[in-house]
Amino acid sequence: MVEITPDQTRSAPRHWYGLAYLLVFVAGVGFFLLSFIALGVLPGLRLADTIASPAQADMPDYTAAELRGRRVYASLGCALCHTQQVRFLPVDVRRWGAPTAAWETRYDFPQLWGTRRIGPDLARETSVRSDDWQLTHLYKPQWVVPGSVMPAFPWLFDGRADRPTAAASDLLAYLRTLGRAQQLGAGKGVNASLDTGMDPVMLMEITNLCAAPFINPNQARVDDSAPDRVQAAAGRDPLFARGSTLFAQNCAGCHGATGDGNGLAASGLSPKPKNLRQTQFSTQGLAHILWNGVAGSAMPAWRDLSTLDLASLTTYVQSLHPASVDPAQAPASILAHGAAVYASNCLSCHGAQGQGNGPVGLLLLPRPANFTAMQPDTTRVIQVLNEGIPGTGMPPWPGLAPADKQAVAAFVRTLYKSKAEQTP
Ligand code: HEC
Ligand code: HEC
Ligand code: HEC
């Protein structure tokens, strides 16, 4: 048996193991440094470039109120349920338009992009909702969106939705900044965000979607034609039941369960939701209203509902107006007098044919009523002439004699074009 001395056993391996600690150390630290540079430093530099290059020079910074509102937004945990980033995915782009570019949030430290969408993305919220809608929604979300799981924030108010505290006003100011820079930059060719080296097919799909007409389904607009299919489908009986359900789910919070305009949300809104029982609407007129919303009021656009749903709602809303008790037509002498009163008082806003497009009317939001598409009851016209419509450009007319009011009401009702007379 050969005796092995301790020296012999160790001499060769000692060479290896002695260095192994060093090797592992260098490899470990080296790997860490490499990852740090590859995953932290390099993307940071690339991002800084992206942020710097396409932003417009005059991108507005936050005002003091907006900055305070941003803090309210952060402290109330809004970012736990809402993202502020439109992703490079067709589903996102279809709904909100161009994807969020890095420069859009260049004043946001820390950013509030969020990771969860229990509520919708808010990156393009600016001008989608009117201020009275936003405040009523914060006060009690379920009033304007029945069934919403968003919590209410009543302590931001002085007991009523139209009495916001300073914190609520600041928060509103902040909400109005979301997407503002993108909107301002849109005309200046600023959005270079699509230049990302992504899959060309997907890029093409997204670019097409960005130009699509249904960007941001909820933004109220003034003029855009509703799909003809809505009008063609409306009026069929099976749609009535569907329309009634849809009305309860989407409209009753503002317009009231019976459509009389006294929904729970009405107290905080100006102008108030319309009483849908006092005015007869043409199919074409209703399709137009639902497709566009009423810009300048809390009445949202409903472009995100299907054509069938829009047709159902049209059918149902028309049923709310009871068969008219007004006389078919006033005597010619009264109508002639009404036409004269109209020409000297109403024409500048409501237009020569009553289409709501008089020269002064085009400057107003909400736009003046289009009497070819809606026929208010006589009592409604008299009420409007006595009280005006607060929150809109429609003034009261204390100077008109009762007989003048009756005459102009009768005249206004003759401007209405029933379904048969309408050009599609
Ligand atoms: C528990 C989750 C949750 C929290 C917290 C939350 N929201 Fe919401 N939010 C929702 C949901 C769900 C909706 C969609 C239904 C609705 O409109 O009420 C929504 C809708 C909205 C909308 C309407 C978007 C649109 O145009 O349709 C706005 C604006 C909004 N939230 C702002 C806020 C603000 C500001 C805060 C913080 C004060 C907040 N939310 C906190 C869940 C939440
Ligand atoms: C957030 C509250 C709100 C909701 C929800 C709402 N509306 Fe309105 N709506 C209004 C307000 C406010 C007006 C009054 C606008 C004005 O005076 O110009 C209005 C006006 C209207 C008008 C008359 C428009 C005009 O030009 O005279 C119709 C028709 C109408 N709404 C139908 C609906 C239907 C149908 C729904 C549900 C799909 C609905 N609204 C949901 C607030 C709302
Ligand atoms: C300064 C512009 C202006 C003038 C002048 C004007 N209106 Fe209006 N009118 C409006 C606006 C704006 C609305 C829409 C308010 C709304 O959307 O709620 C309106 C709405 C109405 C309505 C409500 C229709 C409905 O069913 O809801 C009636 C009725 C009406 N006007 C009658 C008249 C008559 C009659 C005159 C003339 C004596 C007149 N208006 C003059 C701006 C004007």
Side-chain angles (χ1 to χ4, degrees):
M1 204 191 229
V2 185
E3 208 176 283
I4 300 170
T5 64
D7 273 7
Q8 273 173 324
T9 44
R10 272 183 218 135
S11 62
R14 177 189 286 161
H15 204 66
W16 261 104
Y17 289 140
L19 273 180
Y21 291 103
L22 190 66
L23 270 178
V24 169
F25 179 75
V26 171
V29 172
F31 186 70
F32 174 75
L33 281 178
L34 195 68
S35 328
F36 185 72
I37 293 171
L39 299 175
V41 178
L42 290 182
L45 290 176
R46 173 111 196 254
L47 192 62
D49 274 356
T50 323
I51 295 176
S53 54
Q56 77 232 55
D58 53 351
M59 178 176 160
D61 201 349
Y62 291 117
T63 63
E66 290 160 2
L67 212 53
R68 287 196 301 272
R70 206 175 109 80
R71 269 182 229 121
V72 176
Y73 184 95
S75 69
L76 292 177
C78 311
L80 297 177
C81 289
H82 291 285
T83 56
Q84 289 185 14
Q85 41 176 332
V86 181
R87 299 168 300 175
F88 276 88
L89 295 175
V91 277
D92 269 29
V93 174
R94 192 175 293 129
R95 183 161 174 192
W96 289 294
T100 304
W103 62 265
E104 285 181 55
T105 51
R106 75 189 225 198
Y107 297 124
D108 292 357
F109 297 105
Q111 42 78 10
L112 293 168
W113 293 332
T115 53
R116 291 187 81 196
R117 278 189 189 159
I118 292 172
D121 187 88
L122 297 180
R124 301 278 181 266
E125 184 64 11
T126 188
S127 70
V128 170
R129 308 288 186 189
S130 65
D131 290 355
D132 56 348
W133 188 97
Q134 290 286 11
L135 291 176
T136 304
H137 184 253
L138 282 170
Y139 184 73
K140 185 79 178 164
Q142 294 72 19
W143 283 359
V144 280
V145 184
S148 172
V149 297
M150 174 156 152
F153 297 91
W155 61 90
L156 295 177
F157 294 82
D158 199 4
R160 279 178 55 151
D162 54 357
R163 290 202 203 121
T165 61
S169 303
D170 292 345
L171 182 56
L172 177 65
Y174 173 66
L175 288 176
R176 293 170 65 177
T177 70
L178 297 173
R180 183 177 62 184
Q182 210 266 353
Q183 209 175 59
L184 289 174
K188 305 181 195 164
V190 157
N191 199 353
S193 59
L194 294 175
D195 180 19
T196 57
M198 66 194 296
D199 172 29
V201 176
M202 191 172 174
L203 182 62
M204 201 170 72
E205 193 177 348
I206 287 182
T207 317
N208 288 341
L209 283 171
C210 286
F214 41 82
I215 281 177
N216 209 333
N218 298 315
Q219 194 156 9
R221 300 181 191 173
V222 174
D223 265 322
D224 189 8
S225 46
D228 290 342
R229 278 168 302 155
V230 175
Q231 295 163 51
R236 286 194 278 117
D237 262 357
L239 300 185
F240 180 84
R242 188 186 179 95
S244 153
T245 314
L246 284 166
F247 190 88
Q249 285 167 353
N250 295 297
C251 324
C254 290
H255 289 281
T258 58
D260 63 359
N262 287 325
L264 288 165
S267 62
L269 300 179
S270 173
K272 298 270 175 246
K274 199 155 274 189
N275 179 343
L276 302 173
R277 309 176 68 86
Q278 286 179 313
T279 303
Q280 182 173 349
F281 293 94
S282 74
T283 308
Q284 195 187 17
L286 268 178
H288 181 87
I289 291 166
L290 292 178
W291 184 252
N292 288 297
V294 181
S297 84
M299 169 70 187
W302 299 92
R303 282 189 290 271
D304 46 349
L305 294 183
S306 70
T307 310
L308 182 69
D309 286 351
L310 292 177
S312 310
L313 278 166
T314 300
T315 309
Y316 182 73
V317 170
Q318 281 174 325
S319 78
L320 293 173
H321 181 252
S324 179
V325 290
D326 281 300
Q329 190 100 312
S333 60
I334 292 194
L335 286 182
H337 179 54
V341 175
Y342 182 88
S344 48
N345 296 296
C346 324
L347 187 145
S348 59
C349 286
H350 287 279
Q353 267 83 48
Q355 284 167 316
N357 58 359
V360 179
L362 294 179
L363 307 173
L364 301 173
L365 282 181
R367 288 286 161 84
N370 174 355
F371 295 124
T372 65
M374 61 174 87
Q375 188 182 42
D377 293 349
T378 306
T379 47
R380 162 77 178 160
V381 185
I382 304 290
Q383 180 204 346
V384 165
L385 290 176
N386 288 338
E387 300 167 8
I389 304 181
T392 76
M394 176 67 199
W397 294 87
L400 283 184
D404 293 342
K405 290 180 182 169
Q406 288 288 345
V408 77
F411 173 73
V412 154
R413 286 173 48 78
T414 63
L415 298 168
Y416 182 69
K417 293 196 170 50
S418 66
K419 198 173 177 182
E421 294 172 64
Q422 274 162 26
T423 43

